[in-house]
């Protein structure tokens, strides 16, 4: 089976992890801060906080921005559930903004319309989580301007997008957002096995993120109430979690980071091959890059025509049974049973739902060979012609 995505671990990566196993620190040694510094340097963000998953980073980001009961968080329905769940962890409400039919990202025009009606009923969101779907940046300038106008904070869920850019700046620079979150899960662009990071340019937010990552405990006398009892002393000044990354994971991340550009370049080569080979099939392909370079985490194609739901299933099963490991990204979050129980209904986000009925994600990862790509293309052509 040709998988839809696959991590790549080099012998250099393996050596880096083994070196940690032989060192004095398995967890809180020098490599976590070094990994944070490197990601901050590459993205231009001022502060970085490495954690054990992007889900943890999203939760901390919402807490740092003081999301709580009575508040609302909005995000895209075409994302992994974690982009929305972070609001529920904080006791806040979730709502969604429909996607753009070409970029498949949260649509700034739809956002504007929804903000206008929300203002009338006094239900403006406190946070909007934008998702750089498949590695393509959202229209951040437009969304940031709406944020200024309507007073919401912005979290970039860049789980797909490390290595991508927007208006000549690396995704993660936080130029148009409060916090950006990366994931280092193995299917993503680079991996630490499990892992994530939250980036920000705001020192106060950075301080809160660091506290939340580790139980709300500080050893910094400046942050304490009153005097320290002695050199052993620490204080818990907030309710945090254990969301820490280990040095083992950071070693892998640092080593993987060295190959980030090469990975993105390879993804762009493969994308160009697909774009050319699939151009004449009756498919909607990913739109060309605009305002920046996509990190190309995914290559979804959409089937054309009506009554497409059953047909998509046939094509999908045809590909799978021929050994092509296709996938579907994503089932709209509002249609998940948990969200249906919160009151969401089919038909509420029609562009997202139409996208979902048509979408098939083709294999795309740096180790995919041209020969495997030919197999994907010819198998897809055969499946479409049935
Ligand atoms: C993978 C993913 C996450 C969660 O990442 P983890 O590191 O697995 O917690 C969040 N949002 C999006 C869009 C993702 O694709």
């Amino acid at each position: 089976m040709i998988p839809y995505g696959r991590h790549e671990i080099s012998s250099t990566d393996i050596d880096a992890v083994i070196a940690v196993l032989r060192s004095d620190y398995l967890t809180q040694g020098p490599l976590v801060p070094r990994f944070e510094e490197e990601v901050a340097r590459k993205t231009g963000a001022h502060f970085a906080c490495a954690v054990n998953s992007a889900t943890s980073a999203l939760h901390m980001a919402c807490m740092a921005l003081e999301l709580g009961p009575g508040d609302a968080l909005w995000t895209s329905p075409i994302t992994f559930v974690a982009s929305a769940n972070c609001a529920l962890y904080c006791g806040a409400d979730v709502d969604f903004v429909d996607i753009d039919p070409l970029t498949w990202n949260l649509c700034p025009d739809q956002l504007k319309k929804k903000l206008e009606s929300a203002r009338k009923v006094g239900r403006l969101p406190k946070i909007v989580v934008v998702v750089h779907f498949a590695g393509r940046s959202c229209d951040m300038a437009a969304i940031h301007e709406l944020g200024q106008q309507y007073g919401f904070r912005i979290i970039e869920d860049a789980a797909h997008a490390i290595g991508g850019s927007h208006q000549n700046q690396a995704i993660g620079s936080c130029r148009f957002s409060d916090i950006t979150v990366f994931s280092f899960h193995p299917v993503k662009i680079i991996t630490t096995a499990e892992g994530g990071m939250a980036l920000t340019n705001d020192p106060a937010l950075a301080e809160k993120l660091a506290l939340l990552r580790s139980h709300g405990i500080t050893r910094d006398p400046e942050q304490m109430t009153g005097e320290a009892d002695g050199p052993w002393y620490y204080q818990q000044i907030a309710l945090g979690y254990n969301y820490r990354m280990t040095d083992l994971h950071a070693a892998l991340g640092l080593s993987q980071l060295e190959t980030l550009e090469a990975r993105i370049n390879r993804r762009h080569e493969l994308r160009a091959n697909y774009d050319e080979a699939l151009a004449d099939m009756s498919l909607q392909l990913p739109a060309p890059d605009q305002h920046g370079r996509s990190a190309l985490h995914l290559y979804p194609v959409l089937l054309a025509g009506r009554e497409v739901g059953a047909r998509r299933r046939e094509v999908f099963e045809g590909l799978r049974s021929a050994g092509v490991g296709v996938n579907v990204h994503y089932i709209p979050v509002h249609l998940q049973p948990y969200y249906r129980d919160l009151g969401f209904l089919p038909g509420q986000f029609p562009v997202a739902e139409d996208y979902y009925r048509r979408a098939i994600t083709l294999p795309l990862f740096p180790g995919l060979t041209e020969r495997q790509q030919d197999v994907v293309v010819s198998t897809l052509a055969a499946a479409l012609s049935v």
Side-chain angles (χ1 to χ4, degrees):
M1 179 81 80
I2 304 172
Y4 91 85
R6 177 160 168 76
H7 61 269
E8 253 161 65
I9 303 292
S10 67
S11 56
T12 318
D13 293 336
I14 292 168
D15 292 346
V17 176
I18 290 173
V20 178
L21 286 169
R22 297 191 197 283
S23 79
D24 292 341
Y25 298 98
L26 298 185
T27 57
Q28 308 311 297
L31 295 183
V32 170
R34 199 177 304 159
F35 184 37
E36 292 170 337
E37 280 161 29
E38 277 303 302
V39 175
R41 195 180 58 75
K42 272 195 190 285
T43 55
H46 297 182
F47 305 98
C49 184
V51 286
N52 58 2
S53 73
T55 303
S56 302
L58 286 164
H59 181 199
M60 291 191 338
C62 289
M63 286 186 79
L65 294 171
E66 291 171 12
L67 188 74
D71 295 328
L73 174 149
W74 293 1
T75 189
S76 168
I78 297 298
T79 185
F80 185 59
V81 293
S83 317
N85 287 346
C86 55
L88 304 181
Y89 298 156
C90 296
D93 298 325
V94 176
D95 204 350
F96 300 93
V97 179
D98 213 344
I99 59 167
D100 177 283
L102 296 178
T103 66
W104 309 328
N105 274 333
L106 183 149
C107 172
D109 297 335
Q110 301 258 15
L111 175 60
K112 186 164 198 266
K113 263 191 233 155
K114 196 173 172 105
L115 287 164
E116 275 164 16
S117 20
R119 176 141 75 187
K120 287 185 194 129
V121 296
R123 279 297 287 150
L124 284 169
K126 183 160 188 176
I127 296 176
V128 173
V129 175
V130 298
V131 181
H132 302 317
F133 178 72
R136 171 204 302 274
S137 177
C138 292
D139 185 349
M140 291 308 297
I143 292 163
H144 180 256
E145 199 177 308
L146 290 170
Q148 300 293 103
Q149 209 177 327
Y150 290 89
F152 59 81
R153 312 295 292 270
I154 299 171
I155 299 172
E156 296 177 68
D157 181 342
H160 299 180
I162 192 170
S165 70
H166 176 61
Q167 295 191 353
N168 295 318
Q169 282 187 307
I171 292 178
S173 76
C174 298
R175 176 173 167 206
F176 292 117
S177 67
D178 295 287
I179 296 171
T180 300
V181 167
F182 290 138
S183 171
F184 307 122
H185 182 275
V187 299
K188 310 293 163 76
I189 305 281
I190 59 168
T191 190
T192 60
E194 294 282 2
M197 201 175 282
L199 300 123
T200 183
N201 292 332
D202 179 335
L205 286 178
E207 202 168 275
K208 283 191 192 172
L209 292 169
L211 271 178
L212 292 167
R213 167 173 63 181
S214 199
H215 309 282
I217 284 175
T218 184
R219 291 179 183 275
D220 177 2
E222 299 270 298
Q223 291 185 329
M224 291 182 188
T225 62
E227 290 293 300
D229 291 351
W232 64 87
Y233 195 59
Y234 60 83
Q235 279 188 346
Q236 183 189 343
I237 57 170
L239 183 60
Y241 297 84
N242 179 355
Y243 281 169
R244 293 187 305 262
M245 179 179 276
T246 74
D247 259 36
L248 282 167
H249 296 87
L252 181 54
L254 269 167
S255 182
Q256 292 254 308
L257 197 59
E258 303 257 330
T259 60
L260 179 62
E261 282 78 20
R263 287 163 187 265
I264 305 290
N265 291 341
R266 176 64 182 153
R267 286 175 177 275
H268 276 265
E269 281 172 18
L270 293 166
R271 178 245 191 100
N273 296 344
Y274 271 147
D275 282 354
E276 194 184 324
L278 303 175
D280 295 333
M281 296 186 200
S282 77
L283 294 170
Q284 179 187 334
L285 304 182
D289 282 1
Q290 244 188 333
H291 317 299
R293 190 168 192 236
S294 173
L296 283 178
H297 169 53
L298 301 171
Y299 192 95
V301 297
L302 305 198
L303 303 193
R306 281 186 291 150
E307 302 299 325
V308 78
R311 173 132 180 81
R312 189 270 304 268
R313 185 175 178 151
E314 277 168 25
V315 173
F316 186 98
E317 286 175 343
L319 284 157
R320 276 270 176 105
S321 60
V324 177
V326 284
N327 214 316
V328 172
H329 298 91
Y330 287 96
I331 303 156
V333 179
H334 70 284
L335 299 182
Q336 294 290 353
Y338 191 84
Y339 281 84
R340 292 289 302 273
D341 285 349
L342 297 177
F344 291 100
L345 296 166
Q348 269 186 301
F349 305 99
V351 185
E353 291 171 33
D354 182 62
Y355 165 90
Y356 170 61
R357 279 190 288 274
R358 299 169 186 280
I360 297 179
T361 304
L362 302 185
L364 181 70
F365 52 95
L368 186 69
T369 65
E370 271 75 6
R371 183 173 302 180
Q372 286 176 316
Q373 236 187 342
D374 290 343
V375 172
V376 174
V377 168
S378 57
T379 311
L380 178 58
L384 286 171
S385 66
V386 173

